[in-house]
Structure formats: structure tokens, C-alpha cells
Amino acid sequence: MSTEQLLDRALGAYLGFACGDALGATVEFMSPKQIQKRYGVHRDMIGGGWLNLEAGQVTDDTQMSLAVGQAIIDHQGWNIQAVADNFVAWLESNPPDIGNTCRRGILRYRDNGELFGLPRDDDAGNGACMRNLPAVLATLNRPDNFNAWSLQQSHITHNHPLSDAATLTLGRIVNCLIKGLDMDVCKQEAERLIGQYGEFAYSPYPGKASAYIVDTVQTVLHYFFSTDSFESCLIATVNQGADADTTGALAGMLAGAKYGVEQIPERWLARLDQQIADQIRQQTTGLIQLAGLL
Ligand code: MN
Ligand code: MN
């Protein structure tokens, strides 16, 4: 596989993630029926939603990912304090939305200097999993670093075995996809997760798409493995509603890594916040360089 292909898939993953965030945010917290009644099929990046966003605007999912990515690039490697500092700066920038568990963890660091919380039952949201792509990209050839970096950044806010397992699994699947490995290898990663924690089983699809990491992962894997293009994967995912910006972002990450940036519909790329798209392009190059692949 050429470097060009690898970059195309890595950029596809990151831009695909942001597109899913911006597309899904419109229908976040809606039910599939409410979406159908209002939009028929929701398929355009029109903004609005409960956050009253501009068309193409992204939310915490993309912003927190960029915070992780910038810390890695600024320090040319891992610096957990820098990641946490970027989260604090982001929190204090008055972002459009922030999850409760994220807020609690970031304030714990800001006020007490603690880089992780003790395990908690209510830490099983998707807030750590949703921001891990930069760690995946920077460690494409270093699985040990991938595990350590992923879990450290996760535990700033979320410390729960289901969150940990999902974050590592989705990261490994993205890694396989960017390297152009067979889909069977990706499915094996999903099967390994289900072998470890049976609640992640996504077939038959239970139909819940909440921010609970189990619901999120089921939705993302179900639609990723049952569609055959970037566009159909994202549209199917976000029309499931609920935590649609985050399921959309994670589905966009997988589909972008599989199909490459070429398959992201031009109407979405053109609408996506261009400042965010520029940062994503710069970070992707920097992170792949750091992985020793450029
Ligand atoms: Mn969000
Ligand atoms: Mn969300």
C-alpha cells in the first residue's frame, strides 16, 4: 500500500468523523420517528438541532479530538498533562456542548490536578471513545503506545471497563482499515470485544443509539458493517437519532478509513466548517508523520 493511500484513509477517517458530527448534531436527541416526520430522511448538513448550530458546525466530539491531536503534535509525542490542559482551555472557551462526565473530569483536573478518576459505574458513556482518533493515527505502528495513550486520555474523564474496551476496539479497527487490511480482520476485532463483553453484541441490532457506550458501539458497528458506502453508512447511522452526532462521528471515522476521503460527498465537505477542516488536514499530516509513516 502506498503512502498516498494511507494518508487518504487517515484523512478520510478524521474528516469523516467531523462530517458525521456536523450531520448528526441536527438530529441529536430525536427519535427515528421524530426525524422521519420532520425531515423524511435526514441527509444534508443543515445545522440547527437542539444546539441551534450553523450548517457545517461541529460539536464537542470533534473539538475534543482536536484538543488531543494538538497536544500530541505540540509535544511531538505523548504528554498527558498537555492533553488535560487543552481540555481545560476548551472547557473555558464556552463550547456549544459538553457531556456531564467530561465536565466533571476536566474540572477535577483543573481544580485538583488529578489526571484520572477512580472507576465509576456512571463513567460508561461514549465521551472518551469519541475523541481517541488522534491517538490512533499517531500510533499506527506502535500498538503498545496506542493502548497506553488511549487509556490515559480516556481516564481523565471516563474510567470504566466498557469504555476502555470500546475505545481500544474501535481504535484497532480504524488502524486495520487505514492499513487496508481485510474486513474479516476488522470483524474479528469486533468479535473479540463481544467475546470479552457480551453486551456489545450488535446482531440482531437492538436499535438503541444513546450515549451509553454499549448502545453507541452497537449502532456504529451495525451500520458500518451493513452498508457499502460512506454516504449510506452515515445517513443510516444519524437517522437512528439519539446521540446522533457521536454515533455519526464514529461511523464516519470507520467509513472514512475504509472508503477514503474521495468517497465523502462533496456537498458535506463543502459545508463542513472550513477552519475545522483545515485543522484536521494539518493534524492528520502531523500525526502520520509522528507515526513514522510519512
Ligand atoms: Mn457532540
Ligand atoms: Mn453527542
Side-chain angles (χ1 to χ4, degrees):
M1 186 198 40
S2 70
T3 308
E4 204 178 317
Q5 273 177 316
L6 187 126
L7 242 185
D8 178 66
R9 293 197 184 108
L11 190 57
Y14 213 158
L15 285 174
F17 181 92
C19 284
D21 184 5
L23 183 73
T26 303
V27 294
E28 190 181 19
F29 300 131
M30 293 173 75
S31 71
K33 272 190 185 152
Q34 287 172 324
I35 296 169
Q36 199 183 27
K37 208 169 161 194
R38 178 138 182 205
Y39 299 105
V41 175
H42 172 54
R43 47 178 295 121
D44 288 308
M45 220 178 255
I46 55 174
W50 73 282
L51 294 168
N52 198 20
L53 299 168
E54 285 171 42
Q57 197 181 341
V58 298
T59 72
D60 54 347
D61 310 71
T62 304
Q63 292 175 335
M64 292 195 86
S65 298
L66 288 167
V68 173
Q70 204 54 52
I72 297 173
I73 288 169
D74 288 346
H75 293 269
Q76 288 296 294
W78 193 240
N79 183 322
I80 186 63
Q81 206 122 13
V83 174
D85 286 338
N86 283 1
F87 288 169
V88 172
W90 169 73
L91 174 83
E92 292 177 344
S93 76
N94 198 19
D97 64 336
I98 175 167
N100 290 332
T101 312
C102 285
R103 182 194 305 278
R104 183 176 65 209
I106 295 168
L107 291 178
R108 178 174 51 220
Y109 169 72
R110 189 189 71 179
D111 299 338
N112 307 324
E114 291 170 18
L115 284 162
F116 57 89
L118 296 172
R120 282 176 68 124
D121 281 347
D122 60 350
D123 277 7
N126 58 23
C129 182
M130 76 181 188
R131 59 179 190 239
N132 201 46
L133 177 58
V136 178
L137 298 182
T139 62
L140 277 173
N141 275 339
R142 290 177 299 179
D144 292 351
N145 284 355
F146 166 70
N147 282 15
W149 299 11
S150 300
L151 295 179
Q152 281 182 31
Q153 77 79 7
S154 293
H155 292 175
I156 295 173
T157 57
H158 292 66
N159 191 350
H160 194 282
L162 294 175
S163 164
D164 290 354
T167 302
L168 294 178
T169 298
L170 288 193
R172 288 189 194 117
I173 293 176
V174 175
N175 184 315
C176 293
L177 292 168
I178 289 176
K179 289 178 177 163
L181 300 185
D182 202 87
M183 281 298 276
D184 286 345
V185 184
C186 301
K187 285 201 172 134
Q188 279 163 23
E189 290 291 350
E191 288 309 316
R192 193 174 308 164
L193 173 69
I194 294 162
Q196 206 180 356
Y197 297 103
E199 50 265 71
F200 284 105
Y202 57 90
S203 180
Y205 174 53
K208 287 187 277 183
S210 81
Y212 175 44
I213 189 65
V214 171
D215 293 349
T216 301
V217 167
Q218 284 173 339
T219 299
V220 169
L221 293 180
H222 167 70
Y223 285 118
F224 175 61
F225 286 126
S226 64
T227 51
D228 61 2
S229 70
F230 181 87
E231 184 175 10
S232 63
C233 176
L234 254 67
I235 290 176
T237 303
V238 301
N239 280 274
Q240 194 64 42
D243 196 9
D245 63 324
T246 307
T247 57
L250 291 171
M253 169 181 82
L254 296 183
K258 179 177 181 196
Y259 302 111
V261 73
E262 299 301 314
Q263 256 220 35
I264 302 180
E266 187 49 44
R267 72 180 194 282
W268 290 347
L269 278 181
R271 262 293 155 82
L272 184 65
D273 183 329
Q274 290 306 298
Q275 217 185 324
I276 295 289
D278 286 345
Q279 285 180 54
I280 286 174
R281 288 176 195 281
Q282 283 174 17
Q283 283 199 6
T284 302
T285 309
L287 293 167
I288 297 296
Q289 253 164 4
L290 202 62
L293 295 167
L294 268 189

